[in-house]
């Protein structure tokens, strides 16, 4: 008997829970309210949106029924009515890469403040995936797209078609000179500063470890590196300039090639965190020490620098600011601003243990 009573109590508990959950799942709609009050759905809609044309008494009745029934506006219906989904797309080469993740997090936080949701896609650093991602997002009727280009993107025709159609677009970090708003750091100036520091620290052979030449970001960083060599009357040795696909393996292979030269470099300037970490491993594999035998400066995140041994001197970028500015540019476009704007956010050189103190 006790067992049966216990079973009945448990069954009653789940029955009550089921009713409660069903109540949550089945919220009252504008049509339900209109039916209960014997009025038009348009009248309910006007009252709930605070528009004129509804008496105060009726408005109160509508609002009371809506609150009691847990009424919530249907976002899909709203998007159809106002031709906006309140969503934006974000395309990045590798969402798991710490650098990209911080920027995406900032974009999402800023978008949420403005009442937008983000759909984030990963191109896996391939132009075809990037193009497919953009096409998918457009087909989903997002209100705009923020993109960090893949390192092998050379055909921008699909972006230019969207630009011509006045579809809101913003490029960030990896961009292109194609007349689309962008958010970057001053890569030329920072590469110049990093290379100059290595020269002024006594290094006489400085290698450049970078990505593909077609990347604007890589071209700008290489330009700053070369300009620093020229300004300091340093010879430009083409064998010290490595520009290939950014990956751990390519960085490892290129650094080993550099260390095998008859006159190996005394310092390396790496344009990506993966290349810096792989360079550090290659240097250690040859029994060399950083910075005593070879100095190292790179573009990377703070925590990667701190985890490395020795800690790597790096170009510190304001990733939060980059994300905020990227969304704000997009938001301006979504509100009708057709101007093309190029925003440069702050960055500076952070010196750690992988570089010698200035000695000249």
């Amino acid at each position: 008997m006790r067992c049966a009573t216990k079973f009945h109590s448990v069954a009653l508990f789940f029955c009550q829970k089921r009713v409660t959950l069903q109540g949550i799942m089945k919220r009252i709609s504008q049509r339900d309210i209109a039916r209960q009050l014997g009025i038009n759905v348009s009248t309910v809609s006007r009252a709930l949106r605070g528009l004129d044309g509804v008496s105060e008494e009726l408005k109160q009745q509508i609002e009371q029924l809506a609150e009691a029934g847990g009424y919530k506006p249907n976002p899909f219906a709203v998007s159809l009515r106002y031709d906006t989904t309140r969503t934006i797309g974000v395309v990045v080469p590798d969402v798991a890469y710490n650098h990209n993740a911080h920027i995406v997090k900032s974009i999402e936080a800023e978008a949420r403040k403005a009442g937008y949701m983000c759909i984030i896609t990963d191109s896996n650093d391939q132009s075809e995936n990037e193009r497919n991602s953009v096409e998918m997002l457009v087909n989903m009727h997002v209100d705009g797209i923020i993109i960090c280009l893949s390192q092998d993107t050379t055909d921008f025709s699909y972006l230019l078609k969207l630009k011509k159609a006045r579809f809101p677009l913003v490029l960030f970090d990896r961009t292109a000179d194609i007349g689309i708003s962008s958010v970057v750091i001053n890569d030329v100036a920072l590469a110049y500063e990093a290379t100059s520091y290595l020269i002024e620290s006594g290094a006489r052979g400085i290698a450049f470890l970078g990505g593909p030449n077609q990347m604007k970001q890589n071209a700008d960083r290489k330009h700053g590196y070369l300009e620093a060599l020229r300004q300091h009357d340093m010879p430009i040795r083409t064998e010290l300039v490595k520009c290939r696909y950014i990956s751990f393996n390519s960085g490892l292979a290129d650094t080993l090639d550099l260390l095998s030269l008859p006159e190996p470099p005394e310092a390396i300037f790496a344009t990506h965190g993966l290349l810096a970490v792989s360079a550090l491993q290659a240097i250690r594999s040859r029994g060399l020490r950083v910075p005593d035998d070879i100095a190292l400066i790179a573009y990377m995140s703070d925590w990667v620098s701190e985890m490395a041994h020795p800690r790597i001197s790096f170009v510190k970028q304001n990733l939060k600011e980059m994300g905020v500015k990227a969304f704000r540019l997009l938001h301006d476009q979504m509100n009708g601003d057709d101007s093309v704007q190029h925003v440069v956010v702050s960055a500076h050189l952070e010196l750690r243990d992988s570089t010698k103190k200035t000695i000249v």
Side-chain angles (χ1 to χ4, degrees), residues 11 14 38 51 57 83 91 105 113 119 131 136 142 149 178 205 224 235 256 263-264 273 282 286:
F14 281 108
L51 301 178
E57 181 182 357
D83 195 26
V91 184
K105 185 175 181 180
K113 290 179 188 175
I119 300 174
R131 187 181 188 121
M136 177 194 70
V142 296
L149 298 172
I178 54 176
L256 290 173
E263 292 183 44
R286 291 293 176 88

Side-chain angles (χ1 to χ4, degrees), residues 91-101 104 121-125 148 174 272 274:
V91 184
V92 291
D94 182 356
V95 75
Y97 180 51
N98 184 262
H99 175 92
N100 295 331
V104 167
T121 64
D122 189 324
S123 70
N124 198 31
D125 228 348
C148 177
R174 294 183 190 169
H272 194 280
L274 269 178

Side-chain angles (χ1 to χ4, degrees), residues 119-259:
I119 300 174
I120 301 162
T121 64
D122 189 324
S123 70
N124 198 31
D125 228 348
Q126 296 176 6
S127 59
E128 184 178 358
N129 290 345
E130 175 184 287
R131 187 181 188 121
N132 291 339
S133 293
V134 170
E135 183 178 351
M136 177 194 70
L137 290 167
V138 171
N139 289 338
M140 292 175 69
H141 297 276
V142 296
D143 297 330
I145 301 176
I146 300 174
I147 310 170
C148 177
L149 298 172
S150 69
Q151 57 181 306
D152 65 350
T153 298
T154 55
D155 180 6
F156 306 105
S157 58
Y158 72 103
L159 295 178
L160 293 174
K161 286 179 182 177
L162 291 175
K163 178 180 182 292
K164 187 175 181 181
R166 295 188 174 182
F167 185 88
L169 284 174
V170 172
L171 304 178
F172 75 94
D173 199 29
R174 294 183 190 169
T175 65
D177 292 325
I178 54 176
I180 292 176
S181 292
S182 63
V183 182
V184 295
I185 63 171
N186 193 335
D187 277 309
V188 175
L190 288 159
Y192 179 91
E193 181 182 355
T195 307
S196 294
Y197 182 83
L198 291 171
I199 295 170
E200 291 161 7
S201 297
R204 287 296 171 264
I206 301 171
F208 178 88
L209 199 58
N213 283 315
Q214 73 264 14
M215 285 175 58
K216 181 181 184 303
Q217 182 188 73
N218 189 75
D220 288 345
R221 292 175 182 180
K222 186 165 71 170
H223 177 71
Y225 158 81
L226 294 173
E227 190 60 26
L229 295 180
R230 293 188 190 99
Q231 291 297 320
H232 289 83
D233 295 322
M234 296 278 290
I236 296 174
R237 295 170 53 191
T238 56
E239 71 272 19
L240 295 185
V241 180
K242 300 287 188 179
C243 297
R244 289 205 300 164
Y245 193 85
I246 297 171
S247 71
F248 183 88
N249 288 338
S250 66
L252 189 68
D254 285 342
T255 304
L256 290 173
D257 285 345
L258 290 168
L259 298 177

Side-chain angles (χ1 to χ4, degrees), residues 9 62 66 250 279 324 351 359:
S9 298
I62 292 170
S250 66
V324 169
L351 299 175
I359 59 175

Side-chain angles (χ1 to χ4, degrees), residues 255 275-285 290 296 308-310 312 354:
T255 304
L275 299 177
V277 172
S278 59
L280 191 59
Q281 181 165 319
I283 292 167
R284 284 176 178 165
S285 72
V290 175
L296 179 63
H309 182 72
I312 301 173
S354 66

